[in-house]
Amino acid sequence: MAGSRKTEMTDRDVLIIGGGPSGVAAGLELRRQGVTRVTLLDREPTLGGATRHCLHSPFGMREFGRVYIGAAYGRRLDREAAAAGLDVRTGHSVVSLGEEGVVTVTSARGVETLSARRVLVTTGAREMPRAARLLPGDRPVGILTTGALQAFVAFHGLMPFRRPLIVGSELVTQSAVLTCLTHGARPVAVVEAGPQALVRAPLGLFPGLMGIPFWRNTHITDIRGGSRVEAVTLLRDGQPVTVACDGVLLTGSFTPESALLLPTAQGVDPGTGGPAVDQSGRGRNPLYFAAGNVLRAVETGGWAFREGRAVGAALAADLRAGDPVAGPVIPVTHDDPVKLVMPSLLRRDSGMAAFRDFQVRFRHPASGVLSLEVDGREVWRRSGHWMPERRVLIPIPGVALMAERVHVRFR
Amino acid sequence: MSSPADMTSPAPASLPPGPVFDVAVIGGGVVGCAVARRFALAGAQVVLLEKGADILSGASKANSAILHTGFDAPPGSLELDLVKAGREEYLSIRDSLNLPLVHTTALVCAWTDAEAAALEGIAAQGQQNGIGGLALLTAAQARGRVPGLAGHLAAALAVEGEHVIDPWSAPLAYLTQAVALGAQVLTRCELLSGQFAGDWALLTSRGQIRARTVINCAGLFGDVVDQRLGCVPDFEIRPRKGQFVVLDKAAARHVPAILLPVPNEITKGIVVCPTAFGNVLVGPTAEEQDDRLRATVETETLRALLDHAARIVPDLKGIPVTAVYAGLRPASDKKPYRVYSRPQHRLITLGGIRSTGLSAALGLARHALDLYAAFGDVHVPPASVPAVSVPNLAETRERDWQRPDHGSIVCHCELVTRREIVAALNSPLPPGDFGGLRRRTRAAMGRCQGFYCTAALAELTAGRFATPLAVGPQGER
Ligand SMILES: Cc1cc2nc3c(=O)[nH]c(=O)nc-3n(C[C@H](O)[C@H](O)[C@H](O)COP(=O)(O)OP(=O)(O)OC[C@H]3O[C@@H](n4cnc5c(N)ncnc54)[C@H](O)[C@@H]3O)c2cc1C
Ligand SMILES: Cc1cc2nc3c(=O)[nH]c(=O)nc-3n(C[C@H](O)[C@H](O)[C@H](O)COP(=O)(O)OP(=O)(O)OC[C@H]3O[C@@H](n4cnc5c(N)ncnc54)[C@H](O)[C@@H]3O)c2cc1C
């Protein structure tokens, strides 16, 4: 490697990794706040992130005041970034993060290292593939996620199957159904392992409205196919059923794209699967910030954009303050079945906050009282029936920043 | 716009009447690939028949990738001799073929006092087998090498010579060298039957092939191929499935050595082991089954493997799963390798190469050539051997993404460049299916399992695979 590595020494202010809505929004905000030397890296050929392959709306309503389909929204981000004078480098894949804010990148030119005073990670989230779901059966061609399907259609005009079985019932499942129906595939059924759809009614009725059977309490017990998917056996309300199909489309179960962070000293938060950050979006290593879906899966493009903007503002303030923040962190812990709390850290002397609320999600449906305790004292409570994949917001109280312990309790 | 027919590779052509080959190798597993190389090096005209769309369609596509020393092989067995010979040859040729060697050590880990007591016997057997570099370790010493080993470790036996290799590039390199020496490789070509009358007339799914000698390397179908050749097989294949989980590269720093359990009679047991690609592998199970084709994974078993790994190395808990897979060992009704030579029929069978074939393949190939000497054919070895090397996929050597001008990255998780994909598609042994491309490049083998790259690969590979990634163009809106 020695011969081909170039080190570029700059006094860059911020290096942003990932040019989806959150990364671009952060870059725009940094520029607006007068931070001059901002480089935005993305491994894809154009900006836009996961919106690029969405051939459907709605995107952009709140940030740009009009509705785009995903692909056009990505082009808008491209134009905004150029107009704002961001140093955009597409086709640049970051391969590792150093502890001192030095990152290793590969591009058509080979390997180089780039450094900056702060690094912002906005690498997004992706759907969990078949392997990580530990799905049983053969391993033929034709098992993919919504994002992969959309890339077939949007970038290559191709279709990977004609009669897939769709797994999941999140918001993205509707994108999956729509993408199939508008591009020459007819799903045989949509199946959800749980007792009800994960999206709210009436969206939960969506497949049915399109004439596609929607089966709850149903999970895969076998996938068959020597070379391509031929059939799937399901356990439906306790009964085995085999359906012929030529693909399996796995939707949802998003997971942060935190591959770069896993091997670093700061690692990832066990709840979110993304980097642990404080109320400013700053990581355990204070040279690193993060925003967007890498913080927690999964939110809409608009949410990711606003989060990027907020973290961009906090980051600009952090740079103005000079030295990286050094003080101790206050951990934010939680009970089961709370799956995650973001931010999962607080810092007393954090500077400008990017998050006014804790974002909380549940692992599985649960009824009970959710409360926030600061040093053992309850400061917020609400009872209810809580569903997975739904965002719950708990305001971050000022007293929490003075605390030793902050805990999200569930009873 | 392309039609569905353009997506699929054309059906293989029937064979024109051709020459009489010196040797027909049945099966393109690691053993067949090594045999084709050895005979081509000896100057024989070789043809290799593989019924799958690509080589490594059977047992050889899914193993633990350990280059064994033979420390635990049955003393005095043919298997021991051939594992040692195969390992030695691998070490001597790997540099010229650009094949990796990950200098791991194996630790046979004893988790109970009873297991600890067994270690001495294992060490003694290793010594009897002529294996150096064995050392009995206390739990503290073992933890000196692998700090993450769980607290209940009782003792361990270090075996310095157990290494990890790239299980796909090795056979590819062997066969590429054979091809460079003039061997022919026919995929999607199943041996159906054969008649022996001084030489062999072989009927295949692609027509007739004539050869003076047949070497049966059909792995899971070794007994079936003997039968199809009109011989009563001397053995019966009893497939034994092994399931695996591959953990994210973040696991690698916790597992710097191959962690073996104390073996029992049936299996070497579940291994936690680094891979040449920078991941950690957990498996295999050992499950007897009748089916010779289906190697399914099962959710509960995969979970149990994850639990097992976290019990042995607690830091592995919660590390994401990158891949899951299963392979079938071509085990037989008896434990030893089932190697038979029938000079009167000019047939050599390399059967029942159960669980050490990756290590022993080059040794098996030499052994087959020794047996062949009795058939009396004389060949003139080529005056010079063309230099052949395969692209490196291992993390221990330079990869294409680290070089300038690679163009662009197609698979972000495994950092596979477009240049590597194109090179594989245009190589002397191009992949015949998606699995073949994955094995040659690692594309889509990473943590996202193709979320980002499958669509791009579908376009790049249109018209190349028997089972294409796209079934056709998108339909009308
Ligand atoms: C199938 C699907 C349908 C959706 N439908 C909708 C919808 O209808 N409406 C809606 O509002 N939202 C929708 N979303 C969600 C929306 O796309 C996301 O919320 C949004 O894109 C998240 O933005 P982000 O900036 O956090 O990450 P992303 O958009 O995921 O961007 C991350 C970027 O980081 C880059 N990157 C990652 N790793 C590296 C690296 N190592 N080096 C360099 N670059 C890297 C990636 O290339 C990518 O461009 C959908 C998402 C999917 C997958
Ligand atoms: C779970 C597992 C873990 C293992 N771990 C290790 C390890 O760490 N180290 C090690 O050294 N070994 C290991 N092995 C063992 C090793 O993988 C096998 O010994 C080896 O792959 C056997 O190779 P083969 O060429 O004999 O058989 P195969 O790979 O099965 O090759 C036979 C080929 O013949 C073809 N074929 C069959 N019938 C016909 C026909 N009629 N016409 C044409 N072609 C035909 C098949 O399609 C196949 O490609 C492991 C095996 C398994 C399953």
Side-chain angles (χ1 to χ4, degrees):
Chain A
M1 207 153 90
S4 57
R5 186 193 285 264
K6 292 187 281 292
T7 303
E8 190 184 295
M9 289 310 289
T10 62
D11 29 22
R12 189 179 284 110
D13 294 312
V14 182
L15 193 59
I16 305 177
I17 307 172
S22 63
V24 173
L28 299 178
E29 183 61 22
L30 283 161
R31 294 286 295 144
R32 210 177 64 80
Q33 302 237 1
V35 180
T36 42
R37 292 154 309 189
V38 182
T39 297
L40 172 62
L41 303 174
D42 200 293
R43 58 196 184 183
E44 295 294 336
T46 55
L47 300 182
T51 66
R52 293 180 313 131
H53 50 67
C54 292
L55 294 178
H56 51 76
S57 51
F59 288 93
M61 199 50 218
R62 292 188 45 191
E63 53 275 31
F64 299 128
R66 55 169 287 195
V67 176
Y68 287 99
I69 66 163
Y73 179 87
R75 289 192 289 276
R76 173 81 191 249
L77 293 182
D78 246 333
R79 289 197 299 278
E80 295 283 334
L86 287 175
D87 169 25
V88 175
R89 305 191 190 177
T90 53
H92 280 60
S93 195
V94 177
V95 296
S96 66
L97 306 180
E99 299 300 323
E100 302 300 326
V102 180
V103 312
T104 307
V105 183
T106 178
S107 70
R109 296 181 304 181
V111 177
E112 59 192 323
T113 55
L114 301 179
S115 63
R117 291 169 65 203
R118 301 286 186 277
V119 178
L120 172 63
V121 180
T122 48
T123 47
R126 56 176 165 76
E127 293 157 289
M128 216 195 268
R130 182 253 169 94
R133 295 175 190 234
L134 305 183
L135 287 185
D138 293 329
R139 292 167 307 113
V141 163
I143 305 176
L144 34 108
T145 58
T146 318
L149 167 67
Q150 291 193 338
F152 267 82
V153 172
F155 305 145
H156 305 281
L158 296 171
M159 210 53 199
F161 38 52
R162 297 289 179 206
R163 292 176 308 120
L165 175 86
I166 298 184
V167 179
S169 64
E170 297 179 34
L171 211 50
V172 67
T173 313
Q174 293 168 59
S175 303
V177 172
L178 262 182
T179 305
C180 287
L181 292 178
T182 54
H183 294 86
R186 176 102 210 144
V188 294
V190 178
V191 302
E192 161 58 45
Q196 61 192 91
L198 292 169
V199 285
R200 286 172 213 276
L203 296 179
L205 303 173
F206 179 76
L209 292 176
M210 305 307 294
I212 299 161
F214 177 52
W215 297 337
R216 294 156 239 260
N217 292 317
T218 304
H219 68 271
I220 293 181
T221 56
D222 195 15
I223 298 173
R224 285 187 159 266
S227 47
R228 181 180 300 289
V229 175
E230 290 159 17
V232 170
T233 302
L234 303 159
L235 202 61
R236 183 181 172 201
D237 292 320
Q239 296 298 316
V241 206
T242 297
V243 289
C245 54
D246 66 350
V248 178
L249 180 50
L250 302 170
T251 71
S253 293
F254 279 86
T255 167
E257 180 56 82
S258 52
L260 291 171
L261 291 146
L262 271 173
T264 63
Q266 59 184 326
V268 301
D269 179 82
T272 62
V277 294
D278 65 19
Q279 69 271 31
S280 301
R282 182 191 294 107
R284 283 184 189 279
N285 177 341
L287 298 180
Y288 282 86
F289 283 67
N293 280 340
V294 72
L295 289 176
R296 109 291 44 221
V298 57
E299 289 285 358
T300 61
W303 183 279
F305 188 94
R306 289 191 293 284
E307 212 165 56
R309 194 161 52 196
V311 172
L315 180 44
D318 186 66
L319 286 167
R320 280 194 297 272
D323 286 341
V325 163
V329 299
I330 308 162
V332 182
T333 53
H334 59 83
D335 291 338
D336 230 35
V338 170
K339 179 182 173 195
L340 62 89
V341 178
M342 200 293 293
S344 60
L345 311 173
L346 295 173
R347 277 191 173 96
R348 198 166 287 191
D349 49 357
S350 179
M352 185 194 287
F355 308 111
R356 268 177 296 165
D357 304 297
F358 289 116
Q359 303 172 23
V360 176
R361 293 197 183 208
F362 279 77
R363 195 176 299 286
H364 51 76
S367 292
V369 180
L370 185 68
S371 62
L372 181 71
E373 293 178 3
V374 174
D375 286 337
R377 202 169 57 82
E378 185 179 290
V379 297
W380 180 95
R381 72 181 284 156
R382 189 180 295 165
S383 62
H385 182 68
W386 311 92
M387 290 289 291
E389 299 305 330
R390 305 254 175 96
R391 173 204 319 138
V392 180
L393 296 179
I394 304 178
I396 302 175
V399 288
L401 306 183
M402 298 293 138
E404 301 283 325
R405 283 174 297 128
V406 176
H407 186 71
V408 175
R409 187 164 299 288
F410 183 80
R411 273 165 312 208
Chain B
M1 214 176 245
S2 43
S3 74
D6 297 335
M7 296 285 147
T8 312
S9 60
S14 308
L15 302 166
V20 181
F21 291 96
D22 293 323
V23 174
V25 177
I26 314 299
V30 64
V31 175
C33 292
V35 166
R37 169 180 173 274
R38 176 49 56 202
F39 279 78
L41 283 170
Q45 285 294 318
V46 176
V47 63
L48 181 142
L49 280 54
E50 168 55 53
K51 71 175 175 180
D54 197 8
I55 59 165
L56 312 189
S57 290
S60 304
K61 76 176 162 201
N63 57 50
S64 318
I66 301 173
L67 185 67
H68 293 296
T69 54
F71 79 95
D72 56 352
S77 64
L78 180 66
E79 179 177 0
L80 172 61
D81 284 350
L82 300 184
V83 164
K84 286 166 78 172
R87 180 173 184 282
E88 204 167 299
E89 185 169 350
Y90 181 86
L91 296 180
S92 70
I93 65 174
R94 70 169 191 99
D95 261 327
S96 68
L97 297 175
N98 198 28
L99 294 172
L101 184 72
V102 187
H103 287 268
T104 48
T105 289
L107 295 186
V108 184
C109 297
W111 298 98
T112 61
D113 291 343
E115 285 181 359
L119 289 181
E120 258 177 57
I122 299 171
Q125 181 181 343
Q127 243 139 31
Q128 189 188 345
N129 286 354
I131 312 302
L134 300 169
L136 286 163
L137 306 180
T138 64
Q141 287 169 326
R143 238 176 256 115
R145 298 181 181 219
V146 183
L149 279 165
H152 65 292
L153 183 75
L157 170 68
V159 188
E160 302 293 346
E162 295 270 308
H163 296 324
V164 165
I165 64 174
D166 171 348
W168 305 304
S169 295
L172 180 69
Y174 308 158
L175 194 56
T176 302
Q177 190 163 44
V179 169
L181 289 163
Q184 274 202 43
V185 176
L186 302 171
T187 54
R188 292 157 89 180
C189 183
E190 179 174 356
L191 175 95
L192 302 173
S193 65
Q195 297 282 322
F196 183 74
D199 56 22
W200 282 98
L202 303 175
L203 183 64
T204 78
S205 54
R206 291 176 64 176
Q208 226 198 40
I209 289 172
R210 301 199 29 203
R212 291 190 37 80
T213 297
V214 171
I215 306 186
N216 171 1
C217 308
L220 290 157
F221 292 84
D223 52 351
V224 172
V225 163
D226 268 4
Q227 204 150 28
R228 287 184 180 181
L229 293 174
C231 299
V232 179
D234 296 292
F235 63 108
E236 188 191 320
I237 289 291
R238 306 259 175 89
R240 191 179 297 148
K241 181 167 78 174
Q243 300 185 50
F244 291 95
V245 174
V246 181
L247 298 178
D248 191 273
K249 296 183 199 303
R253 66 190 150 132
H254 303 298
V255 185
I258 303 169
L259 304 177
L260 304 171
V262 172
N264 62 28
E265 254 309 286
I266 305 168
T267 157
K268 288 176 180 294
I270 291 171
V271 181
V272 178
C273 154
T275 74
F277 316 122
N279 298 77
V280 166
L281 181 147
V282 184
T285 56
E287 307 165 58
E288 309 275 340
Q289 66 176 43
D290 293 332
D291 196 322
R292 297 172 187 229
L293 292 171
R294 279 199 96 193
T296 58
V297 290
E298 278 118 42
T299 310
E300 288 317 309
T301 310
L302 301 173
R303 268 210 196 102
L305 288 173
L306 289 173
D307 290 346
H308 176 86
R311 257 197 316 277
I312 289 181
V313 181
D315 288 334
L316 296 179
K317 189 173 167 58
I319 290 192
V321 171
T322 290
V324 300
Y325 64 98
L328 299 177
R329 302 174 186 84
S332 71
D333 52 315
K334 293 202 188 95
K335 193 171 177 193
Y337 283 1
R338 312 304 284 274
V339 173
Y340 303 97
S341 177
R342 297 183 177 84
Q344 69 286 10
H345 280 102
R346 307 183 64 87
L347 170 64
I348 296 170
T349 301
L350 304 176
I353 314 300
R354 185 172 33 83
S355 55
T356 48
L358 179 65
S359 312
L362 296 166
L364 277 155
R366 281 180 183 272
H367 185 60
L369 189 66
D370 290 345
L371 296 171
Y372 176 75
F375 297 4
D377 293 16
V378 179
H379 308 295
V380 183
S384 71
V385 177
V388 165
S389 79
V390 286
N392 171 54
L393 304 183
E395 293 297 300
T396 46
R397 311 186 130 200
E398 189 181 56
R399 298 222 14 237
D400 196 43
W401 66 264
Q402 294 169 314
R403 300 191 189 115
D405 303 319
H406 61 61
S408 63
I409 305 279
V410 175
C411 166
H412 296 303
C413 301
E414 294 297 307
L415 295 168
V416 183
T417 66
R418 173 175 293 259
R419 183 164 70 181
E420 288 177 294
I421 306 279
V422 171
L425 292 172
N426 296 326
S427 69
L429 283 168
D433 55 21
F434 188 40
L437 181 71
R438 290 161 54 112
R439 291 191 288 272
R440 281 172 186 72
T441 63
R442 280 168 66 184
M445 286 229 178
R447 46 177 76 88
C448 92
Q449 294 279 298
F451 174 71
Y452 295 112
C453 68
T454 318
L457 293 173
E459 185 168 311
L460 279 169
T461 60
R464 302 296 196 125
F465 295 161
T467 306
L469 289 171
V471 295
Q474 62 180 50
E476 295 305 301
R477 278 164 174 262

